[in-house]
Amino acid sequence: MAFLQESPQLSHPYRSDRLLRALLDRTLPVDRRAALEADLDALGDYAQMAWQRACTTTRRKPVLTRWDAWGQRVDRIELTTAWLEGPQLATRHALLAAGHADDPYARLQQFARVYLYHVASEFYTCPLAMTDGAATALKASGNRALIERALPHFLSRDASTFWLSGQWMTENVGGSDVGSTETIAKQDAGGQWRLHGRKWFSSAVVGEVALALARPEGAADGPGALALFYVETMDGERRRPELVIDRLKDKLGTHELPTAEIHLDGLPAWPLGELAHGVRQVAPMLNITRTWNTICAIASMARALSLARDYATRRQAFGRPLIEQPLHVRTLADMQAEFEGAFALAFEVAHLLGRVERGAAAAHEATLLRLLTPLAKLWTGKLAVKLCSEALECFGGAGYIEDTGLPQLLRDAQVYALWEGTTNVLSLDSLRALAGNQLAALHVAIRDWLNGNDDAPAAHAIQATLAAATSYLDGHVANRESLEAGARGFALTLARCTAAALLARQASWSTRRGDPRPAAALRRFIDHGLNRLVLPGIEDTALLLS
Ligand code: MFK
């Protein structure tokens, strides 16, 4: 019999995840920790089943049928099995409701669930993220009528009453420069606002609601004059005729997610608040969806690493398994250390969000959240591509073959750096976030996290890098061009410093309980370097591109 390679097996995504379990053990009160166990275990079961199903069935994509046989415009979208299961999963496990519970641990518990569900969901988490963002933006708007109308549906624990919301911002002019939005809001004779325009990336087109940016007719140019509107997409069982789906996007990844180009031809709309400053009003939504992006990015990394580690125990080459080969093991350990840093930062943002929302955070922590949200998003988005690419290489040629299910991990990972803002947009947002006292808040937080730390060289490296970043900012703050040119390196440096300090906190806790692995992750993470500061080199940059 010729040699046949064993396939990688996915170990139980919850039971085998020592990072998630340790984080929840350290952070949650005992009663909440115990109450969460069955739910997380069930989500792990679902994720394992979904992986096995994906390995044994032909992958499908959503299909748009625009016209029926009799010439009626129908814009019907057929979804994949995981998407059809989405509303049941989302409501049974309270993937949105849990995050809005009146509890400072609500977001942590919610995002633990999201982390386990994400890969199996086939990016059903994308509209869930936007729905969570819409719920948060509605609450922030204080618009009682819309809150009473939509929130019970968004936070429903019953699939039959559950609604999804889209976030209609991106237009042909781009996803970043939202201020150039061309969609117009006009009031009809009865005073009803109606939207006219084209939205270029609508990923929750199967949803019942959307929050949309539009320029009220006659308003000035620029972002300040935009308004944020609430729209409903359905009229009973039928999609409203003023919403036309032009086509589904043919994307590099996230194939199961039906991202659409749409036209709005007088769709009824209601302003959330004042008829201006729509970007400011949508910002709470952006910060929520960016947190989802972060958690989903680490979920993809966890999946890629889990499969690569399992395969290393099965794959024999040169007379021994990969797991016994020093360079391969070193590669896996390097990936693991980076992942552990990203995991620590992602869940700190999630937990901080819940504590800030419930008024349970210290003053400096509320300030800190504004900075850590873009830092976590931009760093994990990039790292997901790097780790998923490296993980594919751990399988050799098999990692390049579609029906192993592995290439999809890499294709899908690329979206994290684009979805909800590119790395550069988020780097610039980190600068915007520093307008308050955020860097001072980070100094305080890092000092707290290092309190009781047993690794003096690590603490020294973290503090030295933070000091370097602080003097870098001081040195460039007067020159906007050079500050922007170096913004990515600056943001990555702050992200790595923060992650290292959080790893140190987890390492101290774990070491005392007899687990030396987080301390090893910390040493290796620091060994990879924290400082990513760059000299802006504006003159040379222009020369090089001339
Ligand atoms: C899952 C798979 C998906 C399928 C594929 C998807 C592919 C990608 C599709 C996409 O297009 S995703 C892109 C989604 N778009 C974005 O994420 C927006 C990116 N652009 C930005 O983030 C800009 O920074 C932003 C539009 C938010 C602001 O740019 P502006 O127009 O220069 O606004 P400005 O004047 O800086 O800020 C306006 C107000 O908002 C200010 O407050 P004030 O009016 O009180 O001064 C800002 O402080 C505030 N603000 C902006 N960002 C904020 C924020 N406040 C809190 N948090 C933030 N993050």
Side-chain angles (χ1 to χ4, degrees):
M1 176 75 171
F3 172 79
L4 278 181
Q5 179 59 47
E6 266 184 74
S7 61
Q9 299 300 306
L10 181 68
S11 51
H12 193 277
Y14 175 56
R15 281 175 227 150
S16 69
D17 194 323
R18 72 173 163 85
L19 263 59
L20 180 62
R21 301 180 72 88
L23 171 91
L24 297 175
D25 289 346
R26 179 175 64 72
T27 317
L28 285 176
V30 176
D31 58 332
R32 287 187 189 68
R33 177 72 184 88
L36 195 58
E37 188 69 9
D39 216 24
L40 298 187
D41 207 52
L43 280 166
D45 289 347
Y46 179 77
Q48 205 169 29
M49 178 283 295
W51 169 253
Q52 278 152 10
R53 182 170 67 189
C55 290
T56 50
T57 48
T58 305
R59 288 207 170 256
R60 294 175 53 233
K61 290 184 181 186
V63 177
L64 169 66
T65 302
R66 292 164 66 200
W67 305 95
D68 77 4
W70 308 99
Q72 288 266 18
R73 180 105 201 189
V74 287
D75 288 355
R76 187 182 67 237
I77 299 178
E78 287 157 62
L79 299 167
T80 64
T81 306
W83 268 67
L84 293 172
E85 292 165 349
Q88 284 292 346
L89 266 290
T91 49
R92 188 185 319 139
H93 296 285
L95 285 162
L96 299 188
H100 290 259
D102 186 15
D103 176 354
Y105 298 98
R107 289 295 189 178
L108 179 61
Q109 298 185 60
Q110 172 193 22
F111 281 110
R113 294 168 161 114
V114 172
Y115 169 75
L116 290 171
Y117 175 54
H118 168 59
V119 177
S121 86
E122 298 180 348
F123 280 78
Y124 186 73
T125 40
C126 171
L128 288 181
M130 294 188 280
T131 307
D132 194 358
T136 308
L138 274 184
K139 283 183 182 175
S141 77
N143 185 323
R144 296 300 334 156
L146 291 181
I147 290 171
E148 279 166 23
R149 174 149 181 90
L151 225 59
H153 292 288
F154 294 163
L155 305 183
S156 174
R157 291 169 187 256
D158 173 358
S160 68
T161 57
F162 181 58
W163 283 0
L164 284 176
S165 171
Q167 168 191 291
W168 293 347
M169 294 201 311
T170 299
E171 301 197 358
N172 300 39
V173 288
S176 301
D177 187 5
V178 170
S180 301
T181 293
E182 292 173 330
T183 296
I184 299 288
K186 297 182 187 176
Q187 252 177 323
D188 66 18
Q192 173 67 55
W193 288 97
R194 292 181 180 273
L195 303 189
H196 300 262
R198 188 182 200 192
K199 295 288 178 181
W200 193 234
F201 266 98
S202 167
S203 286
V205 75
V206 291
E208 289 77 7
V209 166
L211 297 191
L213 281 175
R215 195 174 305 283
E217 193 174 28
D221 289 345
L226 292 174
L228 186 62
F229 289 90
Y230 168 94
V231 299
E232 290 187 5
T233 62
M234 304 298 287
D235 181 10
E237 290 298 298
R238 295 175 66 89
R239 191 169 281 112
R240 292 196 67 96
E242 305 93 338
L243 166 58
V244 178
I245 301 176
D246 294 330
R247 62 172 171 167
L248 297 185
K249 295 277 196 195
D250 187 8
K251 294 169 290 176
L252 171 70
T254 67
H255 287 163
E256 295 85 355
L257 169 67
T259 303
E261 295 168 17
I262 59 176
H263 261 96
L264 311 177
D265 192 10
L267 187 65
W270 291 265
L272 259 72
E274 62 169 329
L275 278 168
H277 301 296
V279 175
R280 192 195 295 160
Q281 292 176 56
V282 84
M285 182 174 201
L286 287 183
N287 290 331
I288 294 293
T289 50
R290 286 170 183 172
T291 304
W292 279 72
N293 194 317
T294 299
I295 296 292
C296 294
I298 60 162
S300 287
M301 294 184 223
R303 174 61 59 89
L305 259 166
S306 170
L307 292 170
R309 287 176 57 153
D310 178 82
Y311 191 68
T313 65
R314 299 174 192 277
R315 172 69 178 155
Q316 301 272 339
F318 308 109
R320 54 185 174 154
L322 292 179
I323 199 74
E324 291 174 15
Q325 307 206 16
L327 183 54
H328 192 79
V329 178
R330 159 116 215 170
T331 305
L332 286 174
D334 285 341
M335 292 159 71
Q336 179 72 23
E338 289 294 307
F339 168 64
E340 294 200 20
F343 180 95
L345 179 55
F347 273 103
E348 185 63 23
V349 170
H351 190 26
L352 200 50
L353 172 66
R355 288 167 51 229
V356 169
E357 285 181 332
R358 299 288 146 230
H364 79 276
E365 291 181 310
T367 314
L368 187 64
L369 177 64
R370 174 69 185 94
L371 174 63
L372 294 192
T373 303
L375 291 182
K377 193 285 187 191
L378 72 94
W379 176 45
T380 57
K382 276 294 192 211
L383 188 60
V385 180
K386 190 173 161 192
L387 283 200
C388 289
S389 169
E390 194 72 76
L392 256 58
E393 219 176 308
C394 292
F395 295 88
Y400 204 63
I401 298 302
E402 277 301 334
D403 57 2
T404 61
L406 298 165
Q408 179 173 6
L409 285 172
L410 178 58
R411 276 201 311 268
D412 287 352
Q414 184 68 52
V415 88
Y416 302 123
L418 314 172
W419 181 26
E420 304 307 334
T422 62
T423 310
N424 284 354
V425 163
L426 270 289
S427 300
L428 297 175
D429 188 53
S430 311
L431 294 183
R432 191 193 279 107
L434 284 169
N437 223 3
Q438 280 82 1
L439 204 49
L442 185 59
H443 277 267
V444 174
I446 286 186
R447 206 185 49 224
D448 285 354
W449 297 329
L450 291 177
N451 197 5
N453 157 64
D454 339 284
D455 187 337
H460 177 75
I462 294 164
Q463 293 289 15
T465 312
L466 187 61
T470 307
S471 57
Y472 176 94
L473 184 66
D474 291 342
H476 291 93
V477 77
N479 182 341
R480 184 69 203 178
E481 291 287 301
S482 85
L483 195 62
E484 286 195 11
R488 188 192 283 211
F490 178 69
L492 289 172
T493 304
L494 291 187
R496 294 187 69 80
C497 261
T498 308
L502 291 165
L503 276 178
R505 180 182 62 180
Q506 185 68 37
S508 305
W509 184 88
S510 296
T511 305
R512 284 198 293 281
R513 282 157 186 78
D515 182 358
R517 291 170 291 187
L522 171 64
R523 286 192 297 276
R524 192 168 289 244
F525 187 81
I526 299 244
D527 199 42
H528 293 167
L530 301 182
N531 191 329
R532 297 289 185 269
L533 296 171
V534 293
L535 288 176
I538 293 171
E539 297 79 12
D540 268 7
T541 306
L543 178 66
L544 198 57
L545 299 179
S546 63

